Amino acid sequence: MNELVYIFCYCILFMTQVKAKVPAIYVFGDSLADVGNNDYLEFSFLKANFPHNGVDYPGGKATGRFSNGKNCADFLAERLGLPSPPPYLSIPANSNITQVFLKGVNFASGGAGVLDSTRADQCLKLTKQIDYYSTMYTDLVEKLGFIQARDHISMSIFAFIIGSNDILDYVKSSSSYQLNVTAEQLVGSMISSLEVHLKRIYNLGARKIIFVGTGPIGCCPQQRENSTSGECSARTNSISAQYDSGVASLLHEMKSEFNDMNYSFFNSSSTLMEYIESPDAHGFTDVKAACCGIGNLNALIACLPVSRLCEDRTSYVFWDLYHPTEATARLLTETMFSGSRPYVFPINVKQLGDL
């Protein structure tokens, strides 16, 4: 009888979402997409569940998002006509897991990297995020049957926003001569690991993948503050560009190998650099400093209750020493959703959802 109830609920959900074409979004990644998972990790200090984070989020309270408001994961869901999926770790143990899973889940965790070694003791590493998804997928197959579960998953969107932490940790360690690894070796290792992760997700039903490039992370306030000139770190941006190129090539190869897989790669570097180089055209006045922080460029420490807070958050590209403001995230997501080459390719998110 329970199985009949699950199938009935699925059918109702499916019929209400036929027009939308995308029944759910599943998010994997780091703090750029985390909507609160790290709040539930007692051992982690990588959290944003305190002011001034969330100052512009509905209700004005911190939610675990590393932002003054919503992030790219939220805006992606909105543009797809879906509610922003809840953090996986917030789901009560006594809840109807199948019902929750059908509507989408966010597995992203602040600090996570493509490599499992990246800040592994402070976050849900990417392997663990996919482990959690695998468990929910198995539950869905058991409750609905393989065919209905497959149909639901194949129409859903899988979004990945990850890679920045691996690069930032490498730059920090190699600058202090703690690593004997070249940037090329790092990127090669990241792409090899990512291939394993993405093929695993494919084997677990994913057919529509969004991948957000790491962008010009050498231009974040923390990297500028570490520079004697106060300008972007060309070295960090170069590594980021190598990684983005590798990801784009990997996705292209996977599309050739798996004909039923489709993807959208967002070149956030091209987009964000336009904001930085032509701020007035995009409504920004400060592209260097963090809106919330302490010290030079507000980039000495993370956004804390004692930090300085800018008055007009919409005029800043960066919220804190690493993350974009809600205003920046909204603009980036709009380009991701409806833009074209060279910003997003081979298709945009809207086109991916319509397939």
Side-chain angles (χ1 to χ4, degrees), residues 78-250:
E78 284 185 11
R79 294 299 275 117
L80 289 167
L82 300 168
S84 185
Y88 173 79
L89 295 181
S90 73
I91 301 172
N94 61 351
S95 63
N96 186 326
I97 297 299
T98 303
Q99 286 291 323
V100 174
F101 186 63
L102 283 170
K103 298 176 182 178
V105 179
N106 188 317
F107 301 92
S109 173
V114 173
L115 303 175
D116 279 350
S117 57
T118 300
R119 308 184 191 183
D121 60 339
Q122 292 294 317
C123 64
L124 297 178
K125 56 188 180 181
L126 186 54
T127 294
K128 189 65 175 179
Q129 294 179 33
I130 299 175
D131 285 345
Y132 283 142
Y133 164 76
S134 178
T135 299
M136 300 191 82
Y137 172 79
T138 300
D139 179 81
L140 192 63
V141 171
E142 290 177 352
K143 298 298 192 301
L144 300 181
F146 175 75
I147 294 177
Q148 286 183 316
R150 179 199 62 190
D151 290 348
H152 174 82
I153 294 301
S154 66
M155 292 188 298
S156 298
I157 292 286
F158 288 74
F160 287 81
I161 306 178
I162 198 162
S164 297
N165 291 319
D166 306 272
I167 296 171
L168 288 170
D169 283 4
Y170 170 80
V171 170
K172 179 180 179 180
S173 297
S174 60
S175 296
S176 53
Y177 304 101
Q178 296 177 15
L179 290 178
N180 188 27
V181 177
T182 66
E184 290 74 19
Q185 289 173 324
L186 168 73
V187 172
S189 180
M190 290 173 69
I191 298 303
S192 294
S193 295
L194 187 60
E195 181 177 7
V196 173
H197 293 310
L198 292 181
K199 287 187 174 180
R200 185 182 176 200
I201 279 289
Y202 174 86
N203 289 330
L204 289 167
R207 294 297 182 269
K208 296 182 179 183
I209 296 174
I210 299 170
F211 204 101
V212 179
T214 49
I217 53 179
C219 294
C220 69
Q222 183 270 341
Q223 288 286 293
R224 287 184 185 272
E225 200 281 328
N226 283 346
S227 168
T228 55
S229 65
E231 297 303 315
C232 300
S233 168
R235 177 169 178 254
T236 305
N237 281 347
S238 174
I239 299 173
S240 179
Q242 291 177 53
Y243 170 69
D244 285 352
S245 177
V247 174
S249 295
L250 171 61

Side-chain angles (χ1 to χ4, degrees), residues 14 36-37 57 65 110 133-134 143 183 246 250 256 288 303 319 344:
F14 177 79
N37 275 310
Y57 193 83
R65 291 165 172 80
Y133 164 76
S134 178
K143 298 298 192 301
L250 171 61
S256 298
K288 295 184 177 181
C303 181
W319 164 241
V344 57

Side-chain angles (χ1 to χ4, degrees), residues 334-354:
E334 188 56 40
T335 300
M336 196 187 317
F337 188 79
S338 57
S340 57
R341 288 179 181 272
Y343 308 108
V344 57
F345 55 87
I347 56 178
N348 59 38
V349 173
K350 182 180 185 302
Q351 292 167 331
L352 182 67
D354 286 342

